[in-house]
Amino acid sequence: MERWSSRTGFLLAAVGSAVGLGNIWRFPTIVGENGGGAFYLLYLISFMLFALPLMMLEVSIGRRTRCDVVSALGLARRELRASGWLVCIITLSILSYYLVVAGWTLAFLLMYVAGWDITFQQFVSSYWPVASFIAAALITGIVSSSGVRRGIESINSYLMPLVFLILIVMALYSTTLPGFRDGVRFFLTPDPRSLLDGEIWAAAFGQAFFSLGVGQGILLTYGTYLKRDVEIRKASITVALLDILASTLAGFVIFPLVFSFGLEPAAGPELAFVSLPRAFEGMPSGRILGASFFALLFSAALTSSVSLLEVSTAAVTSTKGLSRRRAGLGLTSVVLFLGLPSALSYSPLDLMVYGNRFLDLMDMLAGTFGLLITALLISVAFTWALSRELIPEEVSASRLTYSAARYAVPLVLAIIISWRAIQLI
Ligand code: TRP
């Protein structure tokens, strides 16, 4: 089995998986919709108390068992093996719509570089969203097929430093904007009333899991390529802090822009594609800013897409004995098929299901609901079903981490799943 070349190689890949559209596109959107500062506080709490212990569990189980998610679940208990495929289906479903949005960022990047003035409305009135989705899927497939070191590790080693560089430069630029103070106040001042709102708790918790990418077998898979001498606890904390840093910087970039140009902070998913381009238009160096912003989004999206694909690649190559190339080709085709309806839902076809655009429906079903279910499965399987001696020392030695992963995480997940199920009905 391939290995990361070094501790840094693993860190870059794990940060690459964590930092993605979830930080730069989804996070500010959700903060905006859930009233700002209070949400941010709950997000930090969920992150440290629940997402981080689950990350340590996943990475250490991966390294200990050296198994893909299907085999690892089968190891915990035979009957659970099939549920590993469910995890693969859910991650592929997340990937399918994630790549549609990644495609939009790629298209916007190219438009800014070429100097074309096209609005989101015009963009989705063409079939460019489908073409750019296909391009994003193919690029992801090619990187993944090139291998753990030559593909995944190497792309992360270029793109991750770039992502942080752009974020920092843009955040510094934001401090010069007239709306900086108002933007930051909105982002960071908690409104105590919203702390009583269950919806905000559920959203913050879900976002922390989505952002770190825990509970989906990704960190487990990345853990299988980890060498023995790396300290998992320290590495996990580093990844978590860098992920929080990326979301926080994104907040510092986006809210000052929103408040400087009188935009709506609760604009939803269209914030990055509709509102911000309007802001860039009115700025002297708007074209460079726009190009940098979309280069940032696309790079972050690509490294996360690669990780989402890797769960299934690892499962298929090791359980079915396929080569990485073949697996990559097959899985990319599956993703293209699964993602096409999402791509078409933001095109002249306006594909809707029950009054929702297909992409939004996928985000709700797979990205919000499905993710919680697989996280519950993983946290229960590796703390309750796996015999105690098999639980890695990194987790069992710390009472706090162990009880968080064994009791607190499943309990909170069960509560939130019930809450979401009631809402759905
Ligand atoms: N964490 C990434 C983001 O914030 C997306 C992502 C990568 C993800 N792997 C995941 C989301 C696994 C859910 C599950 O954009």
Side-chain angles (χ1 to χ4, degrees):
M1 186 185 270
E2 267 197 273
R3 296 273 190 274
W4 305 115
S5 65
S6 62
R7 173 172 181 271
T8 316
F10 166 74
L11 284 179
L12 284 167
V15 173
S17 161
V19 174
L21 295 172
N23 303 68
I24 305 158
W25 168 71
R26 205 174 190 260
F27 175 74
T29 303
I30 300 185
V31 173
E33 289 171 343
N34 289 291
F39 177 87
Y40 184 67
L41 188 71
L42 294 181
Y43 164 79
L44 290 182
I45 296 175
S46 307
F47 216 104
M48 287 305 171
L49 288 187
F50 307 112
L52 184 61
L54 194 54
M55 174 178 183
M56 292 176 187
L57 178 73
E58 261 194 64
V59 177
S60 57
I61 295 272
R63 182 165 76 180
R64 175 89 190 244
T65 62
R66 301 274 184 221
C67 280
D68 63 278
V69 68
V70 174
S71 322
L73 282 167
L75 201 71
R77 184 164 293 183
R78 258 201 153 169
E79 305 82 61
L80 285 178
R81 196 178 156 91
S83 66
W85 293 112
L86 177 73
V87 175
C88 293
I89 292 171
I90 291 182
T91 46
L92 290 176
S93 308
I94 295 180
L95 179 61
S96 75
Y97 76 84
Y98 196 87
L99 282 172
V100 175
V101 183
W104 299 349
T105 65
L106 176 61
F108 270 66
L109 166 63
L110 298 179
M111 290 191 300
Y112 272 99
V113 171
W116 295 343
D117 227 350
I118 294 175
T119 62
F120 188 69
Q121 211 46 49
Q122 291 167 322
F123 175 66
V124 295
S125 312
S126 71
Y127 282 96
W128 280 110
V130 177
S132 58
F133 157 66
I134 296 174
L138 292 180
I139 298 174
T140 304
I142 292 171
V143 173
S144 158
S145 303
S146 312
V148 173
R149 259 193 218 186
R150 280 194 36 221
I152 304 177
E153 187 175 328
S154 109
I155 191 140
N156 276 299
S157 65
Y158 291 110
L159 293 185
M160 272 303 111
L162 180 72
V163 161
F164 277 92
L165 180 74
I166 299 181
L167 269 175
I168 291 170
V169 172
M170 286 190 81
L172 286 176
Y173 177 80
S174 268
T175 59
T176 65
L177 293 173
F180 179 72
R181 276 168 153 250
D182 289 336
V184 170
R185 196 174 306 134
F186 173 80
F187 180 35
L188 297 182
T189 315
D191 168 9
R193 265 171 313 170
S194 31
L195 292 178
L196 298 174
D197 186 344
E199 175 56 36
I200 297 189
W201 282 88
F205 188 84
Q207 176 60 19
F209 273 56
F210 187 95
S211 185
L212 199 55
V214 285
Q216 312 301 303
I218 289 178
L219 293 160
L220 185 142
T221 308
Y222 276 12
T224 58
Y225 311 135
L226 189 60
K227 291 181 182 156
R228 284 259 155 253
D229 55 353
V230 177
E231 241 239 81
I232 288 181
R233 257 201 276 164
K234 265 199 213 141
S236 303
I237 293 174
T238 312
V239 173
L241 289 178
L242 286 170
D243 189 46
I244 291 177
L245 177 68
S247 296
T248 308
L249 284 171
F252 275 96
V253 169
I254 285 169
F255 293 111
L257 277 169
V258 165
F259 281 84
S260 301
F261 289 86
L263 308 171
E264 172 53 53
E270 297 186 350
L271 185 68
F273 297 96
V274 181
S275 314
L276 293 183
R278 218 175 293 145
F280 296 143
E281 218 170 80
M283 296 162 105
S285 38
R287 192 170 150 197
I288 299 180
L289 271 173
S292 323
F293 181 70
F294 286 104
L296 164 72
L297 275 174
F298 181 65
S299 311
L302 182 62
T303 53
S304 297
S305 306
V306 165
S307 81
L308 278 159
L309 188 60
E310 186 60 19
V311 181
S312 303
T313 307
V316 170
T317 47
S318 73
T319 62
K320 306 277 175 224
L322 286 184
S323 70
R324 186 169 260 279
R325 284 241 153 139
R326 283 232 162 141
L329 197 66
L331 290 168
T332 308
S333 317
V334 171
V335 169
L336 282 170
F337 176 74
L338 279 177
L340 199 60
S342 295
L344 287 173
S345 69
Y346 282 87
S347 79
L349 272 190
D350 277 336
L351 196 62
M352 302 269 198
V353 180
Y354 298 124
N356 288 306
R357 284 181 196 275
F358 198 85
L359 186 148
D360 301 347
L361 195 74
M362 287 297 264
D363 184 39
M364 206 159 72
L365 289 180
T368 306
F369 205 66
L371 175 130
L372 294 171
I373 293 189
T374 58
L376 180 63
L377 171 73
I378 286 190
S379 61
V380 170
F382 295 124
T383 52
W384 292 89
L386 198 69
S387 60
R388 180 93 201 229
E389 319 80 73
L390 278 180
I391 294 178
E393 200 204 336
E394 287 88 355
V395 172
S396 60
S398 151
R399 190 174 271 179
L400 195 67
T401 313
Y402 183 67
S403 351
R406 187 174 159 99
Y407 304 103
V409 172
L411 181 71
V412 179
L413 281 168
I415 295 173
I416 294 182
I417 290 172
S418 327
W419 161 276
R420 290 263 180 244
I422 293 170
Q423 271 179 333
L424 217 61
I425 297 162

